[in-house]
Amino acid sequence: MWITELPSFVYFYLGALLLPLLPGKARNVLLLLIPLLSGVFLWQLPEGNHWQTTLLGFELTPFYTDRLSVLFGYVFHIAAFIAIVYALHVRDLLQQVASLLYAGSALGAVFSGDLLSLFVFWEMLAVTSVFLVFARRTERAYRAGMRYLTIQVVSGLLLLVGVILHAQVTGSLRFEWIGLEQEGPAAIAGWLIFIAFGIKCAFPLLHTWLTDAYPEATPTGTIFLSAFTTKVAVYALARGYAGTDLLIYIGALMTCFPIFYAVIENDLRRVLAYSLINQVGFMVVGIGIGTALALNGAVAHAFNDVIFKGLLFMSMGAVLHMTGKINGSELGGLYKSMPKTTILCLVGAASISAFPLFSGFVSKSMVMSAALANDHHIIWLMLLFASAGVFHHAGIKIPYFAFFAHDSGIRTTEPPTNMLIAMTIAAVLCVAIGAYPQMLYSLLPFELGYSPYDATHVLAQTQLLFFSALAFVWLNLRGMYPPELPSVNLDAEWLYRHLLPRLLQRIMRRFWAVDALLRQCLKRGLVLFGDHLHTYSGPQGILAKTWPTGRVVFWVAVILALFLVLSLF
């Protein structure tokens, strides 16, 4: 039946159009049905299914399926369903429509078989997602949303210019491996597309949109945001730049630098935003290595991260929803009134920390094994450091300062039932994938002969987690662990939120000072010129006197004579 063969994004876009026409309960039913039906239809599609058309002599493939795109399609459907369940109590039509359009745009991007279709959905991701930030309806959210949208639009413009150059050089818009090894215009196109992907992937110095906007979104909107944008960029890098060595070093840096900011950050959702960059770094390293094991590890970790990071964001969203607070300095002791949320948060913390029998362990170890197998020993040490660091700031800090630590005196209740159901679904998936990884491994794009549960991996990871926990306890008891302070931390965004405005203020002050000086000089010059004219043309000036007729005739004759002489030359 043709309706079951439509591209996945069509169901989400149609649903977004129908939502405003339905009352509250019917609207919730439609929201739940869309990812379920679309996911079932995707499951039934044969591999290699695609749509093709022609535009201006270029072959376009707006819908193409293979093992890589289908894997991301599955996890995006799962994420959309969980996030919709989590947000069922919300009666904000703006958020509901934006959420469907955003999830549909992410699906459209990963199933795009050509670069032009990718660009269209790339921009739709930016435009639709920003409303999840605006929906919080605060001044901070509006400002963060505008900064977010500006950076995302820049990414789209770079992608568009790169696509145009790529099409001129190659004569094709097919979305396949691009790389950075070309020369001439092809190299420029490759770098522009690479940077566009890097912005959405939150490369170092290009990452500030994520840590700026995600914590300012609504409690439910952040769940959608954490699932789609960066994972679409990971997919795009895996499709277009697998095996690019530069990605290994970029990814390793991404795994390490967020740790230092996350440890001192007070806003717990911002801690998770830094943790998101850290986890994406593991995926980027795997894509850069480019072997079958590394790519499988990268996309498997992307799959798992969507779920366990969503679970952590959901637990913090529940805290924010019930208490109105999200700063670690204002929370603590919530395990007494939110025990179920506490347990579910601990499952997410164990998963992101890569505890054995939890989902993070079965994917992160693949990337680290690939690094060792390809003699990237320094990179492996950086990943090891990052693994210990993520346990500190996401595995321990998040649950400790939110639910334990000092008793803040806040007494509340568990969040709405739909929130608990969504968190439970995510937690069950984290445990199921960790205990039975073949469920995920069977979906990976390459054949895999890898077993995560050998003695070496389990023992090494257990030791790492044990000593990392021991370090946290020792630092905390000695009072050396950075306390949660009511403060705002800026990293690279300091350049454009602090330094650039001050520089512009100084430049404009100098400009207006020079402008005032020039105006004053011009005014004085005009006054002097006027006075000078007045001496000749005023009532007592020489030009105001009555001249005899003979003298006038004489000077006219002189002027005519000069004119005749000059005309001879």
Side-chain angles (χ1 to χ4, degrees), residues 130-328:
V130 74
F131 287 100
L132 298 175
V133 182
F134 290 154
R136 199 172 181 186
R137 295 176 174 86
T138 64
E139 182 64 22
R140 286 185 60 176
Y142 173 75
R143 291 181 179 275
M146 291 305 297
R147 290 190 294 267
Y148 169 89
L149 184 60
T150 300
I151 295 174
Q152 296 297 311
V153 169
V154 169
S155 172
L157 289 175
L158 291 172
L159 178 60
L160 178 60
V161 176
V163 168
I164 293 172
L165 285 175
H166 180 79
Q168 287 180 337
V169 173
T170 64
S172 172
L173 285 173
R174 185 173 177 80
F175 185 21
E176 52 191 3
W177 189 83
I178 301 170
L180 297 175
E181 289 76 23
Q182 303 93 338
E183 296 181 355
I188 298 174
W191 275 101
L192 288 173
I193 296 173
F194 181 79
I195 295 171
F197 291 172
I199 291 175
K200 265 190 167 53
C201 207
F203 281 1
L205 301 182
L206 305 177
H207 68 279
T208 53
W209 58 269
L210 194 157
T211 55
D212 183 21
Y214 281 21
E216 299 303 328
T218 63
T220 55
T222 308
I223 315 308
F224 286 92
L225 291 171
S226 68
F228 298 121
T229 297
T230 52
K231 304 312 179 297
V232 169
V234 167
Y235 163 82
L237 286 173
R239 176 75 71 186
Y241 293 90
T244 301
D245 288 343
L246 180 60
L247 287 174
I248 300 174
Y249 307 103
I250 292 175
L253 186 59
M254 289 175 68
T255 63
C256 293
F257 87 85
I259 294 171
F260 301 99
Y261 290 103
V263 166
I264 64 173
E265 180 58 52
N266 189 28
D267 186 323
L268 297 183
R269 290 205 299 174
R270 202 161 193 239
V271 172
L272 289 176
Y274 279 113
S275 177
L276 180 56
I277 299 171
N278 164 274
Q279 295 301 297
V280 171
F282 282 89
M283 306 166 206
V284 173
V285 169
I287 294 169
I289 294 172
T291 62
L293 177 62
L295 288 172
N296 277 339
V299 298
H301 201 55
F303 190 104
N304 288 333
D305 183 73
V306 168
I307 298 171
F308 63 61
K309 188 58 59 60
L311 176 55
L312 287 170
F313 269 114
M314 283 190 284
S315 62
M316 291 302 100
V319 169
L320 177 61
H321 180 76
M322 299 308 299
T323 67
K325 303 178 185 298
I326 198 58
N327 289 337

Side-chain angles (χ1 to χ4, degrees), residues 78 82 303-312 314 343-363 422-437 439-440 453:
I78 294 171
I82 292 174
F303 190 104
N304 288 333
D305 183 73
V306 168
I307 298 171
F308 63 61
K309 188 58 59 60
L311 176 55
L312 287 170
M314 283 190 284
I343 293 171
L344 293 169
C345 180
L346 289 172
V347 173
S351 299
I352 196 173
S353 303
F355 271 86
L357 298 179
F358 290 88
S359 58
F361 177 78
V362 304
S363 54
M423 288 189 282
T424 302
I425 295 171
V428 169
L429 287 173
C430 287
V431 176
I433 294 172
Y436 184 62
M439 181 169 56
L440 173 60
Y453 289 109

Side-chain angles (χ1 to χ4, degrees), residues 286 289-300 363 365-371 373-374 444 446-451:
I289 294 172
T291 62
L293 177 62
L295 288 172
N296 277 339
V299 298
S363 54
S365 60
M366 294 168 67
V367 176
M368 298 184 68
S369 296
N374 289 271
L444 296 177
F446 303 102
E447 292 296 327
L448 186 66
Y450 176 80
S451 175

Side-chain angles (χ1 to χ4, degrees), residues 437-486:
Q438 290 302 323
M439 181 169 56
L440 173 60
Y441 289 174
S442 63
L443 302 175
L444 296 177
F446 303 102
E447 292 296 327
L448 186 66
Y450 176 80
S451 175
Y453 289 109
D454 61 51
T456 302
H457 289 149
V458 174
L459 183 60
Q461 185 66 12
T462 304
Q463 288 177 332
L464 177 71
L465 295 171
F466 173 78
F467 285 108
S468 183
L470 190 64
F472 177 85
V473 172
W474 183 78
L475 291 171
N476 208 35
L477 291 175
R478 294 294 298 272
M480 298 172 63
Y481 193 84
E484 301 301 286
L485 301 175

